[in-house]
Amino acid sequence: MYKAIHRNDPNGAWLGFNGVLNNNEWHKVIEYDIIRMLQILNKQYAYERSPEVLNRLKTVIEVTERHGMRLKSIWAHNELIRLHLAEGRRDLAYWIKQNIESDTYGPQVKINVHTYAALFSDPHVNSLPDLIRLTNLYDEMLKRGITPNTPIQKSLIAAARRIGEYHLLAALLESTSLDSVSHSHSTLAARFAGARGQAYIKLRKLSPALAEIHQLLSYQVIKDNRPIPDRRSEDGPQGEIKIPLELSDTRQAYFTYLRSTYESLIRMHLIRRKGRFAFKLLDDLRRNCYLPPTLMAYTCFVRYYAKRKDIQRLRELYEFMQQDGVTPNEHIYTKLITACMFTPGDRLLSVLAKRVAEKHPSLLSANEVDSELDGPPPKGSGLPAIPRAVMATEDINSLSYHPAECVAFYEDMFLDHGAKLCDTRSRKLSPNVQIINAVMRAYMALEKPSLVLREFNRYCANQRYLYSSTNPPDASSNQRHTLSLVFKMALQAAAMLGDRKSSQRIYNDMLEWGLQPPPSR
């Protein structure tokens, strides 16, 4: 237990504490040991918010009371305040504060800055009255001549950001600075810089938020050489990689706050349609952070580039996810696959036509522009007219539809799930109707009608297995139109193959599922 306490290892300290109880060695425990246990577990709970850690804290207090040990120092009472606030028992926390002020625990127990830091650590501050209570504590502390430390400033900034008090938030950012944190306290700097960075993002000030990240990267992280697998290498060799000593299990504090600030900044740049700068931030995040980007960050990127049909960038993102060990979910695969084959709208079509025109300037002669204008963008839309010569080029189709890439993403999805593409009755993977529609369109574009029918049969087999007693939900939901297109493509593929038996079966399935079959069979 003592070695784990010295290493600031909460799980090791907890195992040691249980060992002391099981071996009947409580007589060796002093108040300092209990204080250190409470400090380590309180810090772990601040990082993880785990109910298990909270139960461990309660157990330490119960065992201490059962053995008749009386906690006398101000440090012990500060940790008790943190525990009661974590439990949501604010009345007990302030009752301890009142007892300290009234010398109930003795004249030697006096309120200090760490007592106020414990009071500011309340995780349940989510309303304006709670924020007013914290500001009153802040004023009270200043009247007593106690200078606020970094954890207090961090807590007040985070509370103002959550509640949306922008004027207070701006004033706090103006009056505080990361320079007040020593370069040897990397975890504290990460929490403070994370709070300041998120606050700047809340105020829509992205440049100062990026400056906080750059300043945080200059802080020293305590190093520990431990052999761990390099997640960015393809074959996953064991290598000596520098990681913080504080990273024990899920307590990856420094890089967790660094990654969170990076990803919040990335999302804001994507919202502002600054994809190139956001992608540069993603590259910085992968280079500077031990932890890989989260699935949510990659989801934001995939949505952004799928909407713009940037298949090359989507392929890069997919490769990044494979390198970082981030497994794509169904939503990401749906976006990757459907982005390759959906028909572009007017605005996107104008962007694609502009790319073609820049590639072939000869198509934009004055006569063509003046006399032969096509009308994909409707009148009054504010979009430029597209010359017929541009619309007639093969480049428009090559930019709008990517059947080979669609099939490649589809095959990768099966590989990730350990399923075989040729097994249409496999239960390991059930692609949704959007994916099936895009893949069938891709096979039709590649002139492979037999594979179109294969994917159609896969979808029908999975739907009959999942909904054996009723019609599939897709037949009566907002996916009904997509489902109708799937059936029509299957009929077309069967006609191309001259398979009348399959055509009759598809026709009967449409009637069974309540879909309107085409007039001619």
Side-chain angles (χ1 to χ4, degrees):
M1 179 178 77
Y2 302 102
K3 292 182 179 179
I5 288 176
H6 182 70
R7 294 195 310 267
N8 287 326
D9 181 1
N11 295 320
W14 175 249
L15 291 175
F17 183 79
N18 284 327
V20 169
L21 297 180
N22 295 333
N23 297 328
N24 295 322
E25 297 178 346
W26 182 262
H27 60 279
K28 298 180 180 180
V29 179
I30 61 176
E31 182 184 11
Y32 174 79
D33 301 329
I34 300 300
I35 293 173
R36 291 293 292 132
M37 278 292 300
L38 292 175
Q39 288 176 342
I40 292 173
L41 292 176
N42 271 323
K43 187 179 292 186
Q44 184 185 22
Y45 181 76
Y47 294 150
E48 301 176 11
R49 301 299 182 198
S50 170
E52 180 183 359
V53 178
L54 191 58
N55 289 332
R56 291 178 180 180
L57 282 163
K58 295 178 182 178
T59 302
V60 172
I61 297 301
E62 291 173 0
V63 171
T64 302
E65 293 176 350
R66 188 167 65 245
H67 285 83
M69 178 181 289
R70 184 181 177 187
L71 301 177
K72 303 176 181 179
S73 69
I74 184 61
W75 305 102
H77 293 297
N78 291 344
E79 298 308 317
L80 288 176
I81 289 175
R82 291 182 186 273
L83 171 58
H84 291 318
L85 290 175
E87 293 178 299
R89 305 174 68 180
R90 195 175 290 163
D91 53 338
L92 287 180
Y94 281 86
W95 177 74
I96 292 176
K97 174 179 177 289
Q98 292 175 1
N99 287 342
I100 295 174
E101 291 174 333
S102 60
D103 291 340
T104 302
Y105 303 123
Q108 72 279 6
V109 179
K110 298 293 183 181
I111 286 182
N112 56 24
V113 66
H114 302 288
T115 307
Y116 283 102
L119 292 167
F120 273 87
S121 69
D122 188 352
H124 304 289
V125 175
N126 51 19
S127 64
L128 185 58
D130 294 337
L131 181 61
I132 293 174
R133 178 176 47 79
L134 291 184
T135 55
N136 291 337
L137 280 175
Y138 195 85
D139 294 339
E140 175 186 314
M141 180 175 54
L142 294 178
K143 290 179 180 178
R144 291 185 172 182
I146 300 175
T147 303
N149 59 11
T150 302
I152 292 175
Q153 295 171 344
K154 177 262 174 189
S155 299
L156 196 54
I157 289 174
R161 178 182 61 83
R162 282 197 302 269
I163 296 169
E165 284 295 320
Y166 298 131
H167 293 295
L168 175 61
L169 193 59
L172 289 170
L173 291 173
E174 184 70 24
S175 61
T176 59
S177 173
L178 191 59
D179 295 331
S180 60
V181 184
S182 170
H183 274 69
S184 60
H185 295 90
S186 56
T187 303
L188 178 59
R191 299 188 70 186
F192 192 41
R196 288 175 56 82
Q198 298 287 358
Y200 277 122
I201 293 171
K202 187 80 171 180
L203 296 174
R204 303 296 189 267
K205 297 180 179 180
L206 304 189
S207 295
L210 183 59
E212 292 292 326
I213 291 177
H214 290 163
Q215 187 174 0
L216 177 60
L217 290 174
S218 67
Y219 274 72
Q220 174 187 357
V221 180
I222 302 175
K223 302 296 183 181
D224 175 30
N225 292 335
R226 278 182 278 178
I228 62 172
D230 186 355
R231 65 174 70 244
R232 294 184 182 176
S233 61
E234 295 181 359
D235 52 354
Q238 297 286 328
E240 295 289 335
I241 299 178
K242 298 282 190 177
I243 62 175
L245 183 66
E246 298 155 309
L247 298 189
S248 57
D249 295 336
T250 57
R251 292 186 63 233
Q252 306 180 9
Y254 177 86
F255 288 121
T256 299
Y257 287 105
L258 177 63
R259 179 178 63 179
S260 176
T261 309
Y262 258 122
E263 292 187 352
S264 297
L265 195 57
I266 285 171
R267 284 194 293 270
M268 285 303 302
H269 280 291
L270 290 177
I271 290 173
R272 295 187 176 188
R273 301 178 183 177
K274 296 181 179 180
R276 185 176 303 176
F277 192 78
F279 200 84
K280 181 181 180 300
L281 287 175
L282 176 66
D283 187 58
D284 292 343
L285 168 60
R286 297 178 71 241
R287 185 175 63 254
N288 296 326
C289 189
Y290 163 76
L291 299 175
T294 62
L295 181 64
M296 181 59 68
Y298 278 116
T299 301
C300 294
F301 271 107
V302 169
R303 287 176 178 174
Y304 180 86
Y305 287 110
K307 185 178 180 180
R308 289 155 177 80
K309 272 189 172 292
D310 194 338
I311 307 304
Q312 180 180 356
R313 192 68 87 180
L314 289 175
R315 173 55 66 178
E316 289 181 32
L317 288 168
Y318 183 76
E319 291 174 356
F320 287 168
M321 295 179 74
Q322 299 298 314
Q323 295 170 12
D324 294 339
V326 180
T327 304
N329 56 14
E330 184 187 23
H331 177 73
I332 286 184
Y333 272 120
T334 301
K335 290 296 182 182
L336 292 173
I337 293 171
T338 56
C340 299
M341 294 306 297
F342 78 84
T343 301
D346 296 335
R347 189 172 297 277
L348 180 57
L349 187 61
S350 298
V351 174
L352 299 179
K354 183 179 179 182
R355 295 179 191 172
V356 174
E358 291 174 352
K359 185 178 180 181
H360 303 286
S362 60
L363 297 176
L364 292 178
S365 63
N367 292 334
E368 288 175 339
V369 173
D370 292 338
S371 60
E372 296 189 25
L373 294 180
D374 206 320
K379 293 182 179 180
S381 66
L383 301 175
I386 302 175
R388 290 180 184 272
V390 173
M391 292 297 299
T393 60
E394 185 64 25
D395 290 342
I396 282 288
N397 283 332
S398 65
L399 290 175
S400 300
Y401 303 105
H402 307 266
E405 288 81 357
C406 177
V407 173
F409 282 131
Y410 190 60
E411 293 173 349
D412 289 339
M413 181 177 68
F414 273 79
L415 287 175
D416 281 351
H417 288 81
K420 294 182 179 180
L421 199 61
C422 58
D423 186 4
T424 59
R425 296 186 178 275
S426 174
R427 301 293 175 244
K428 292 183 178 180
L429 180 63
S430 299
N432 59 47
V433 67
Q434 294 172 307
I435 292 178
I436 292 294
N437 177 50
V439 173
M440 289 175 65
R441 292 186 70 184
Y443 282 132
M444 288 292 285
L446 296 173
E447 299 180 355
K448 296 181 178 180
S450 60
L451 298 183
V452 174
L453 285 182
R454 183 192 69 183
E455 297 310 317
F456 173 77
N457 292 332
R458 184 195 314 279
Y459 174 75
C460 291
N462 286 324
Q463 294 299 305
R464 289 194 181 97
Y465 174 77
L466 294 173
Y467 310 101
S468 57
S469 59
T470 60
N471 288 340
D474 292 339
S476 57
S477 67
N478 57 354
Q479 301 295 337
R480 183 182 178 87
H481 175 68
T482 305
L483 187 60
S484 298
L485 295 177
V486 167
F487 273 91
K488 290 176 182 178
M489 275 190 289
L491 285 172
Q492 184 181 354
M496 293 171 65
L497 295 172
D499 191 347
R500 299 186 63 182
K501 184 177 180 180
S502 294
S503 297
Q504 183 62 44
R505 179 173 50 82
I506 295 169
Y507 187 89
N508 293 337
D509 286 344
M510 291 188 76
L511 293 176
E512 180 184 349
W513 288 10
L515 301 174
Q516 182 65 36
S520 60
R521 294 173 51 185

